[in-house]
Amino acid sequence: MVTSAPAHAAVSVREVGLRDGLQSIARTMPTARKIEWLRALHAAGVREAEVGSFVPARLLPQLADTAEVVAFARTLPGLVTSVLVPNLRGAQAALDSGADAMLLPLSASHAHSVANLRKTPDEVVAEIGRIRALRDASGSKCLIEVGISTAFGCTLQGLVDEAEVVRLVRAALDAGAERVGLADTVGYADPLQVARLFERCFAVAGDRLACGHFHDTRGLGLANVYAAWQAGVRRFDACLGGIGGCPHAPGASGNVATEDLAYLFASMGVPTGLDFDALIALRGRLAGWLDGEPLHGHVWRAGLPKTLRGQARA
Ligand code: ZN
């Protein structure tokens, strides 16, 4: 356990609504609206965003404009722009786009990996090595981050062995990943499991273990964020309005809501750089843009408590 970190060390939040959120919503948002959304996120203090995915447009037509969205995101000062990349071809597109980072998913669940990517986890590790060689040969500085998905359990396979997660973290780093994160893709994690698995992976990866990605499918999203923070994690993925539902649990909550995450850390005196009021205002606009889609989260209903007013930009 990392207990030496100062209690008030800043936490950074990567907004993933434009990727994880939109990919689970059937309708396609116009590019101009994605740009409006990104501009408002940036104005609200967001400094890292995953803005799309370089997968074939026939699989995810919602994200077919990713290159255009990256081009706009790069004009926002200080914004780190990442994209999801499933394979070497996607990595080439990410390099061409000028994104700052690419996120490669690696399923810890063998069954999920084969169903989702038609590759075993070790075949994905081999692809990570090829992507690292491609990146290095290109001269690009695009950072390679691996997200270990289904790290806490899987809808297909059920239990995922913790030793397998630790093994894959090490294998991803050995293959050339510069950063890794752990993702509770389907909302199976509990806080004690989160603390335990992050501690085991920190022992292998050190500060290269740098992201927690939690879904609130069963209401434990923020409890799991807190457990990961206690274990030393200082960077989290989140979606404004908690969008990003689980295809295996229709109607369930999606990712942890960015505004709730901002509130959690503000309430503990931990700075995130996020402007709470701006996030809530944007959430209202997002609800209109996604009219009919369920949004989630809690704090938007009641607003900040009086005790936190005046500290909204924590
Ligand atoms: Zn997710």
Side-chain angles (χ1 to χ4, degrees):
M1 172 149 354
V2 178
T3 51
S4 58
H8 290 70
V11 156
S12 66
V13 179
R14 172 169 56 182
E15 171 64 43
V16 298
L18 285 100
R19 199 280 302 168
D20 205 342
L22 288 186
Q23 80 169 38
S24 66
I25 292 172
R27 77 176 72 179
T28 298
M29 180 179 280
T31 308
R33 191 147 276 171
K34 293 184 184 178
I35 284 172
E36 196 179 344
W37 182 1
L38 262 177
R39 188 181 280 123
L41 284 169
H42 184 260
V46 169
R47 289 297 174 265
E48 186 171 7
E50 192 166 274
V51 303
S53 180
F54 283 116
V55 296
R58 69 185 155 76
L59 296 180
L60 280 178
Q62 307 95 309
L63 305 181
D65 59 357
T66 293
E68 279 174 85
V69 180
V70 171
F72 171 75
R74 292 179 66 201
T75 68
L76 294 170
L79 184 75
V80 175
T81 304
S82 68
V83 288
L84 188 134
V85 158
N87 52 29
L88 195 64
R89 182 186 294 233
Q92 183 63 59
L95 293 172
D96 293 343
S97 77
D100 299 302
M102 55 175 114
L103 191 281
L104 320 178
L106 167 57
S107 280
S109 154
H110 192 280
H112 184 263
S113 188
V114 170
N116 210 31
L117 293 169
R118 277 169 291 154
K119 291 192 184 97
T120 66
D122 286 298
E123 286 168 345
V124 174
V125 168
E127 188 84 343
I128 293 166
R130 289 189 284 272
I131 288 171
R132 173 62 189 259
L134 179 76
R135 196 283 312 267
D136 289 351
S138 77
S140 163
K141 291 191 172 65
C142 185
L143 192 119
I144 298 174
E145 177 168 345
V146 168
I148 309 284
S149 54
T150 61
F152 301 93
C154 169
T155 46
L156 301 174
Q157 179 177 309
L159 282 175
V160 171
D161 185 7
E162 290 185 5
E164 175 67 354
V165 177
V166 175
R167 182 185 78 82
L168 289 172
V169 164
R170 185 181 283 123
L173 292 169
D174 288 348
E178 290 150 308
R179 249 180 358 202
V180 292
L182 301 184
D184 182 23
T185 313
V186 294
Y188 274 21
D190 72 74
L192 289 178
Q193 180 192 18
V194 167
R196 187 173 62 240
L197 191 53
F198 268 99
E199 284 167 23
R200 288 185 67 172
C201 291
F202 269 125
V204 167
D207 61 8
R208 292 178 295 172
L209 176 59
C211 194
H213 178 110
F214 296 103
H215 283 235
D216 196 38
T217 318
R218 292 171 180 82
L220 296 189
L222 282 189
N224 290 329
V225 167
Y226 179 73
W229 178 75
Q230 284 278 52
V233 179
R234 294 294 177 265
R235 178 167 163 269
F236 294 93
D237 287 345
C239 283
L240 190 71
I243 59 174
C246 174
H248 304 287
S253 305
N255 285 266
V256 289
T258 307
E259 62 275 22
D260 285 0
L261 200 78
Y263 170 61
L264 169 68
F265 286 113
S267 71
M268 300 193 296
V270 177
T272 61
L274 297 172
D275 181 329
F276 184 81
D277 291 334
L279 288 178
I280 294 297
L282 179 56
R283 186 193 189 282
R285 293 165 70 196
L286 184 66
W289 296 338
L290 297 177
D291 186 29
E293 298 291 341
L295 265 57
H296 304 284
H298 297 277
V299 72
W300 67 278
R301 295 175 189 275
L304 289 183
K306 278 184 181 170
T307 46
L308 272 184
R309 272 286 153 213
Q311 308 169 39
R313 187 182 272 275

